[in-house]
Amino acid sequence: MLKHHALQNIYQRKLAVSVAYIVLCTLLASKPFYPEMSYFNGLNHMFFGIFIAIYIYGIWASLLSDVLASILSDRTRIREVFGAAFFHIGAGAVFGLGAIAIAFVFFLLDRFFMKYIKVNWPIPLMSFGILVLIFILNLNNYFPS
């Protein structure tokens, strides 16, 4: 029961971190990556790509990285934080150099949440619901009829 509760807390934190990461990345990176678009259109485009990438690959790779780092730290003298950083970077390396940076920033944001922010189910679920609603409302921008 204790392991299940620990994994549930980790998953709650990953959902909250992913919401914060999606918002942070779209706000900071949309104009530099899409200078030809208006700010709002660039924001929509970045949001769409980041939303898909984080929820299909990022959360699960991060969760697996934390579990593997925990197992590694139990069996060796390597600290869990170093193992988690290594596995996050390895998960990002699957998609190239840019994804390594993305994975490392996600790792840093996750560690910040772990240390300073207590996360319960209502916060990530409401945030996820808002992101899904924005995603659905913006689908028309990418797949016009």
Side-chain angles (χ1 to χ4, degrees), residues 56-144:
I56 289 178
Y57 183 74
I59 291 176
W60 303 108
S62 182
L63 186 63
L64 183 62
S65 296
D66 283 353
V67 169
L68 291 176
S70 177
I71 292 169
L72 182 69
S73 70
D74 288 344
R75 295 183 181 177
T76 64
R77 293 177 33 175
I78 297 173
R79 291 184 53 199
E80 185 176 353
V81 67
F82 296 129
F86 174 76
F87 286 124
H88 274 82
I89 290 169
V94 170
F95 293 107
L97 191 58
I100 291 173
I102 291 168
F104 190 67
V105 170
F106 191 91
F107 166 74
L108 292 176
L109 191 60
D110 184 38
R111 291 297 154 163
F112 176 80
F113 268 63
M114 182 186 292
K115 188 169 185 174
Y116 296 111
I117 299 174
K118 174 81 170 129
V119 178
N120 295 328
W121 271 118
I123 293 169
L125 290 178
M126 285 188 306
S127 304
F128 179 72
I130 291 168
L131 288 179
V132 168
L133 181 64
I134 292 169
F135 178 78
I136 290 169
L137 292 174
N138 284 328
L139 277 178
N140 192 35
N141 293 334
Y142 304 103
F143 306 110

Side-chain angles (χ1 to χ4, degrees), residues 7-59:
L7 279 176
Q8 181 178 357
N9 288 340
I10 292 171
Y11 187 66
Q12 290 171 354
R13 190 182 75 243
K14 298 294 181 192
L15 282 176
V17 168
S18 67
V19 169
Y21 185 78
I22 289 169
V23 170
L24 185 67
C25 279
T26 54
L27 291 177
L28 293 177
S30 64
K31 197 60 175 170
F33 285 110
Y34 299 102
E36 71 281 353
M37 293 184 178
S38 70
Y39 183 71
F40 186 70
N41 286 338
L43 197 69
N44 283 340
H45 194 65
M46 283 294 289
F47 178 81
F48 186 75
I50 292 172
F51 182 86
I52 295 295
I54 292 297
Y55 280 99
I56 289 178
Y57 183 74
I59 291 176

